[in-house]
Amino acid sequence: MSSVVIELFDEKSIGRNFQLAALGSIMSEIPEELKHRILTGIATNVIQLSSEEYATISNALASFLDVVCAEETKGA
């Protein structure tokens, strides 16, 4: 099993806020254990995930973006 390490940007960086917003947008869609791992990673500035956990996060983010973009298209 391979692992993925996500290093969060500096706390004063706007990029950090984007990272946290993205993760926050999917927290209700992921398993409790993965939520805990993300919250721990935020506290330490490094999120360590298995490749399966990374896939779960990636899929949840892609689904969220599909919904948001579909809503934007309807409103245009």
Side-chain angles (χ1 to χ4, degrees), residues 4 24 28 32 34-35 45 49 60-61 71:
V4 176
S28 64
E32 286 296 322
L34 187 49
K35 286 180 193 179
N45 294 324
L49 306 167
L61 283 170
E71 290 297 321

Side-chain angles (χ1 to χ4, degrees), residues 15 24 39 41 43 47 51 56 59 68-69:
L39 293 174
I47 302 172
S51 56
T56 299
N59 291 335
V68 169
C69 291

Side-chain angles (χ1 to χ4, degrees), residues 29-69:
E29 306 298 321
I30 59 176
E32 286 296 322
E33 183 178 320
L34 187 49
K35 286 180 193 179
H36 178 69
R37 187 178 300 255
I38 289 171
L39 293 174
T40 300
I42 290 170
T44 62
N45 294 324
V46 176
I47 302 172
Q48 296 182 349
L49 306 167
S50 69
S51 56
E52 291 83 12
E53 291 170 328
Y54 179 74
T56 299
I57 289 173
S58 296
N59 291 335
L61 283 170
S63 294
F64 177 76
L65 289 174
D66 284 343
V67 170
V68 169
C69 291

